[in-house]
Amino acid sequence: MRSLPQPSRYFIFGLWGTALLSSIVPLVQLQTLLSYSHLLAVLLFVGMVAFTDARADPADNGRLASVSTAFLIAALTSIHWSLVLVVIILSALCVQLFRPVPWWQLVTHISV
């Protein structure tokens, strides 16, 4: 993190703050959305996104190519968007077990 230029660090901190502020209310509203069918859907999407992210193949330019975005779009169309936040957070934490990255890259990935 310290190796990044100062403007990049400010941008990342702004991104983290925006993501945190925009997710507080939806995460508080989860109490009214929780049912067994919603929890099952969240767990299925977490499994699909984590599996596809963990199995991502490196492209020629060194970046990872994954199809997990398709599952996130499917989650957005299937479950309430505040539950999609839970899917993103849990799947990113699961992928951290398979492919360790620095903490600040994980938080930035979740924020994006």
Side-chain angles (χ1 to χ4, degrees):
M1 179 73 161
R2 296 185 195 274
S3 64
L4 292 175
Q6 191 70 21
S8 297
R9 280 190 265 170
Y10 288 146
F11 174 76
I12 289 175
F13 289 141
L15 181 68
W16 293 350
T18 303
L20 180 67
L21 290 176
S22 64
S23 62
I24 287 175
V25 172
L27 292 178
V28 169
Q29 291 177 345
L30 281 179
Q31 302 170 30
T32 60
L33 296 173
L34 292 181
S35 67
Y36 290 119
S37 61
H38 287 117
L39 290 177
L40 179 63
V42 165
L43 290 177
L44 286 173
F45 281 117
V46 165
M48 289 187 288
V49 171
F51 179 75
T52 55
D53 267 350
R55 301 282 301 164
D57 295 324
D60 293 336
N61 59 1
R63 297 183 146 230
L64 293 175
S66 174
V67 294
S68 63
T69 306
F71 290 118
L72 287 176
I73 292 170
L76 275 172
T77 60
S78 302
I79 57 179
H80 194 268
W81 69 273
S82 60
L83 292 173
V84 175
L85 292 173
V86 175
V87 169
I88 292 169
I89 292 168
L90 291 179
S91 62
L93 292 174
C94 289
V95 171
Q96 176 71 15
L97 298 174
F98 296 110
R99 193 173 357 110
V101 294
W103 66 270
W104 63 272
Q105 286 182 349
L106 175 70
V107 174
T108 303
H109 177 72
I110 292 172
S111 299
V112 170

